[in-house]
Structure formats: structure tokens, C-alpha cells
Amino acid sequence: QSALTQPASVSGSPGQSITISCTGTSSDVGGYNYVSWYQQHPGKAPKLMIYDVSNRPSGVSNRFSGSKSGNTASLTISGLQAEDEADYYCSSYTSSSTPYVFGTGTKVTVL
Amino acid sequence: EVQLVESGGGLVQPGGSLRLSCAASGFTFSSYWMHWVRQAPGKGLVWVSRINSDGSSTSYADSVKGRFTISRDNAKNTLYLQMNSLRAEDTAVYYCAREMAMGSGKDYWGQGTLVTVSS
């Protein structure tokens, strides 16, 4: 099972919106509504930001939103803030022998 | 407050063994599926293993299948990862995480424990 494909880096200015893509196959992203997104600051544990494609856990800012079209899921951060600078990973349930897979990770930089 | 606290990491020689533990508190441990996820230094997250709520079903990444064993003791609210035949490429921070519902997101994570495989 190969990792899901994410851009290595995305950047934006404070207040702007950015979108991170997560591309898989019909055996993972496209086949299930079990895509989640995680934020990870350096030296810290990952934090769940979006689950089941577009749901936000309690306490996560509504500036974070998720969607999916075909085999590609997306995380959008609106009103970019300095504290959003971090690594972001998508993850999906899969039909393969390895039932879960993470994306390659995207470093978000706030200019 | 939900807490997951890993322990058991350290330096081990190639071919050696190590057992990681993850002590859970603040929730009904026996009701949740649990995972191990690892992250090599400077690299991304990699899913390692998963166990269902009563311990009767497990899954593994191909890279650790046959070498690692996940288990749990619901009476002690503790998750384990027995790691045998360790290789240099197993060097990573190992996180335990709770799954919200089958297939869904992992909503709580431990702080991680570092495993270094080196001679």
C-alpha cells in the first residue's frame, strides 16, 4: 500500500485561504468516506483536524474544512494564521491488506 | 480527561526485541479500537498496527507483519506492541492513538516514545 500523495509544501499570507490535496485511489480515498486530516507541530503529537472527509472534532476551528471528489480529498484552511504553520497529513481507510494509510505530508508555511 | 501515555522505548541492537506500552485513562478503554503509528526522524507518519476493542482482531502494516504483535489488557487499560527482530529502519517515535469509530479518525494520541535500533 503506497502512501497517499500530498504536495510537499503550501504557503500563504495571513488571512488568505490555502488548500492541501490528498490523492489516492478507488481502493482508499475514492472508496470510503473515512478520510481524516492531522496537524502536527514540530516535536508534538499529531492532532485530529477533520474526520470522515468533512467533520470537525469539537474544539477545532471552523477555519478548517474538508471535502472529497473522486480519489482526491482536500483540506482548506481559511483566514490563515501564524499558528497554522505546521505539517499536515491526510489518512484513509483502505481495502488492502494494510487497512490504513497516511499521506506523504504537507508543510504549511505562513508568509 | 483522556490521556494516553507511552513507555518502553529506548536503544536496542539490530535483531533485538522491545515491548512498548500505552497506558490509557479518562475513557472506557475497552470500548475503543486502538492503533500504533510511527514516525522516523524527519519523516512522515506511518500506520503500524491496529487492534479491536476486545483484542480479537488485529491488523499490521506489511513492513512489520510477522515481527510485531499488538495486544491489549482491558483490565489494566493498557495497549502493547511487542517488537521482535528489530531493524535499523524501525527507528522512530511510536505513538499510540484511539480510533473514534471503525475506520474513522484517531482523536487522541500519546506523546510518543522513541525507539532507536542501532549497534
Side-chain angles (χ1 to χ4, degrees), chain B residues 83-118:
Chain B
M83 303 185 296
N84 298 331
S85 303
L86 283 162
R87 307 166 180 167
E89 54 264 37
D90 295 319
T91 294
V93 172
Y94 285 74
Y95 296 100
C96 64
R98 186 183 87 166
E99 184 172 279
M100 300 176 69
M102 197 201 116
S104 189
K106 299 161 186 60
D107 57 350
Y108 285 94
W109 296 65
Q111 84 287 353
T113 188
L114 176 63
V115 172
T116 303
V117 184
S118 175

Coordinates of all heavy atoms in Angstrom, one line a residue, chain B residues 83-118:
Chain B
M83 N 7.8 -5.9 19.8 CA 8.5 -5.7 18.6 C 9.8 -6.6 18.7 O 10.6 -6.5 19.5 CB 9.0 -4.3 18.5 CG 7.9 -3.3 18.5 SD 8.4 -1.6 18.2 CE 9.4 -1.3 19.6
N84 N 9.8 -7.6 17.7 CA 10.9 -8.5 17.6 C 11.7 -8.4 16.3 O 11.2 -7.7 15.4 CB 10.4 -10.0 17.7 CG 9.7 -10.3 19.0 OD1 10.0 -9.7 20.1 ND2 8.7 -11.2 19.0
S85 N 12.9 -8.9 16.3 CA 13.7 -8.9 15.1 C 13.8 -7.4 14.6 O 13.6 -7.2 13.4 CB 13.1 -9.8 14.0 OG 13.0 -11.1 14.4
L86 N 14.1 -6.5 15.5 CA 14.2 -5.1 15.1 C 15.3 -4.8 14.1 O 16.4 -5.4 14.1 CB 14.3 -4.3 16.4 CG 13.0 -4.2 17.1 CD1 13.2 -3.7 18.6 CD2 12.0 -3.2 16.4
R87 N 14.9 -3.9 13.2 CA 15.9 -3.4 12.2 C 16.1 -1.9 12.3 O 15.3 -1.2 13.0 CB 15.2 -3.7 10.8 CG 14.8 -5.1 10.6 CD 13.9 -5.2 9.4 NE 13.4 -6.6 9.1 CZ 12.4 -6.9 8.3 NH1 11.8 -5.9 7.6 NH2 12.1 -8.1 8.1
A88 N 17.2 -1.5 11.7 CA 17.5 0.0 11.8 C 16.3 0.8 11.3 O 16.1 1.9 11.8 CB 18.8 0.2 10.9
E89 N 15.6 0.3 10.3 CA 14.5 1.1 9.7 C 13.3 1.1 10.6 O 12.3 1.8 10.3 CB 14.1 0.5 8.3 CG 13.8 -1.0 8.3 CD 15.0 -1.8 7.9 OE1 16.2 -1.4 8.2 OE2 14.8 -2.8 7.2
D90 N 13.3 0.4 11.7 CA 12.3 0.5 12.7 C 12.5 1.7 13.7 O 11.6 2.0 14.5 CB 12.1 -0.8 13.5 CG 11.7 -2.0 12.7 OD1 10.8 -1.8 11.8 OD2 12.3 -3.0 12.9
T91 N 13.6 2.4 13.5 CA 13.9 3.5 14.4 C 12.9 4.6 14.1 O 12.7 5.1 13.0 CB 15.3 4.1 14.1 OG1 16.3 3.1 14.5 CG2 15.6 5.4 14.8
A92 N 12.2 5.0 15.2 CA 11.1 6.0 15.0 C 10.5 6.4 16.4 O 10.8 5.7 17.4 CB 10.0 5.4 14.2
V93 N 9.8 7.4 16.4 CA 8.9 7.7 17.5 C 7.6 6.9 17.3 O 7.0 7.0 16.2 CB 8.6 9.2 17.7 CG1 7.5 9.4 18.7 CG2 9.8 10.0 18.0
Y94 N 7.2 6.2 18.3 CA 6.0 5.3 18.2 C 4.9 6.0 19.0 O 5.1 6.3 20.2 CB 6.3 3.9 18.7 CG 7.1 3.1 17.7 CD1 8.4 3.3 17.5 CD2 6.4 2.1 16.9 CE1 9.1 2.6 16.6 CE2 7.1 1.4 16.0 CZ 8.5 1.6 15.9 OH 9.2 0.9 14.9
Y95 N 3.8 6.2 18.4 CA 2.6 6.8 19.0 C 1.5 5.8 19.2 O 1.2 5.0 18.2 CB 2.0 8.0 18.2 CG 2.9 9.2 18.0 CD1 3.7 9.4 16.8 CD2 3.0 10.2 19.0 CE1 4.4 10.5 16.7 CE2 3.8 11.3 18.8 CZ 4.5 11.4 17.7 OH 5.3 12.6 17.5
C96 N 0.8 5.8 20.3 CA -0.5 5.1 20.3 C -1.6 6.1 20.1 O -1.4 7.3 20.4 CB -0.7 4.3 21.7 SG -0.8 5.4 23.1
A97 N -2.7 5.6 19.6 CA -3.8 6.5 19.2 C -5.1 5.8 19.4 O -5.2 4.6 19.1 CB -3.6 7.1 17.8
R98 N -6.2 6.5 19.7 CA -7.5 6.0 19.8 C -8.3 6.3 18.6 O -8.3 7.4 18.1 CB -8.2 6.6 21.0 CG -9.6 6.0 21.4 CD -10.2 6.8 22.5 NE -11.0 7.9 22.1 CZ -11.9 8.6 22.8 NH1 -12.1 8.2 24.1 NH2 -12.5 9.6 22.4
E99 N -9.0 5.3 18.1 CA -9.9 5.5 16.9 C -11.3 5.8 17.4 O -11.9 5.2 18.2 CB -9.9 4.2 16.1 CG -10.7 4.3 14.8 CD -10.5 3.1 13.9 OE1 -9.5 3.0 13.2 OE2 -11.5 2.3 14.0
M100 N -11.9 6.9 16.8 CA -13.2 7.3 17.2 C -14.3 6.3 16.9 O -15.1 6.0 17.7 CB -13.6 8.6 16.4 CG -12.7 9.7 16.5 SD -13.1 11.1 15.5 CE -14.7 11.6 16.2
A101 N -14.2 5.7 15.7 CA -15.2 4.6 15.3 C -14.5 3.9 14.2 O -13.6 4.4 13.6 CB -16.5 5.2 14.9
M102 N -15.0 2.7 13.9 CA -14.3 1.9 12.9 C -14.0 2.6 11.6 O -14.9 3.2 11.0 CB -15.1 0.6 12.6 CG -14.3 -0.4 11.9 SD -15.3 -1.6 11.0 CE -14.8 -1.3 9.3
G103 N -12.7 2.7 11.2 CA -12.3 3.3 10.0 C -12.2 4.8 10.1 O -11.6 5.5 9.3
S104 N -12.7 5.4 11.2 CA -12.7 6.9 11.3 C -11.4 7.4 11.9 O -10.4 6.7 12.0 CB -13.9 7.2 12.2 OG -14.1 8.6 12.2
G105 N -11.4 8.7 12.2 CA -10.2 9.4 12.7 C -9.7 8.9 14.0 O -10.4 8.3 14.8
K106 N -8.5 9.3 14.3 CA -7.8 9.0 15.5 C -7.8 10.3 16.3 O -7.1 11.2 16.0 CB -6.4 8.4 15.3 CG -6.4 7.2 14.5 CD -5.1 6.9 13.9 CE -5.1 5.7 12.9 NZ -6.1 5.8 11.8
D107 N -8.7 10.3 17.4 CA -8.9 11.5 18.0 C -8.0 11.9 19.2 O -8.0 13.0 19.6 CB -10.4 11.6 18.5 CG -10.9 10.5 19.4 OD1 -10.1 9.5 19.6 OD2 -12.0 10.6 19.9
Y108 N -7.4 10.9 19.8 CA -6.4 11.1 20.9 C -5.2 10.4 20.6 O -5.2 9.2 20.2 CB -7.0 10.7 22.2 CG -8.1 11.7 22.7 CD1 -9.4 11.5 22.5 CD2 -7.7 12.9 23.4 CE1 -10.4 12.4 22.9 CE2 -8.6 13.8 23.8 CZ -10.0 13.6 23.6 OH -10.9 14.5 24.0
W109 N -4.0 11.0 20.9 CA -2.7 10.5 20.7 C -1.9 10.6 21.9 O -2.0 11.6 22.7 CB -2.0 11.2 19.5 CG -2.7 11.1 18.2 CD1 -3.9 11.6 17.8 CD2 -2.1 10.5 17.0 NE1 -4.1 11.3 16.5 CE2 -3.1 10.6 16.0 CE3 -0.9 9.9 16.8 CZ2 -2.8 10.1 14.7 CZ3 -0.7 9.4 15.5 CH2 -1.6 9.5 14.5
G110 N -1.0 9.7 22.1 CA 0.0 9.9 23.2 C 1.1 10.8 22.7 O 1.1 11.3 21.6
Q111 N 2.1 11.0 23.6 CA 3.2 11.9 23.3 C 4.3 11.2 22.5 O 5.2 11.9 22.0 CB 3.7 12.5 24.6 CG 4.8 11.6 25.3 CD 4.2 10.4 26.0 OE1 3.0 10.2 26.1 NE2 5.0 9.5 26.5
G112 N 4.2 9.9 22.5 CA 5.2 9.2 21.7 C 6.4 8.7 22.5 O 6.7 9.3 23.6
T113 N 7.0 7.6 22.1 CA 8.1 7.0 22.7 C 9.2 6.7 21.6 O 8.8 6.1 20.6 CB 7.8 5.8 23.6 OG1 9.0 5.4 24.4 CG2 7.3 4.6 22.8
L114 N 10.4 7.0 21.8 CA 11.4 6.9 20.8 C 12.1 5.5 20.9 O 12.6 5.1 21.9 CB 12.5 8.0 20.9 CG 13.7 7.9 20.0 CD1 13.2 8.0 18.5 CD2 14.7 9.0 20.3
V115 N 12.1 4.8 19.8 CA 12.8 3.5 19.6 C 14.0 3.7 18.7 O 13.8 4.2 17.5 CB 11.9 2.4 19.1 CG1 12.6 1.2 18.8 CG2 10.7 2.2 20.1
T116 N 15.2 3.4 19.1 CA 16.3 3.5 18.3 C 17.0 2.2 18.2 O 17.3 1.5 19.2 CB 17.4 4.5 18.9 OG1 16.7 5.8 19.1 CG2 18.6 4.7 18.0
V117 N 17.1 1.7 16.9 CA 17.7 0.4 16.6 C 19.1 0.7 16.0 O 19.2 1.2 14.9 CB 16.9 -0.4 15.7 CG1 17.5 -1.8 15.5 CG2 15.4 -0.5 16.2
S118 N 20.1 0.4 16.8 CA 21.5 0.7 16.4 C 22.5 -0.2 17.2 O 22.2 -0.5 18.3 CB 21.8 2.1 16.6 OG 23.1 2.4 16.2

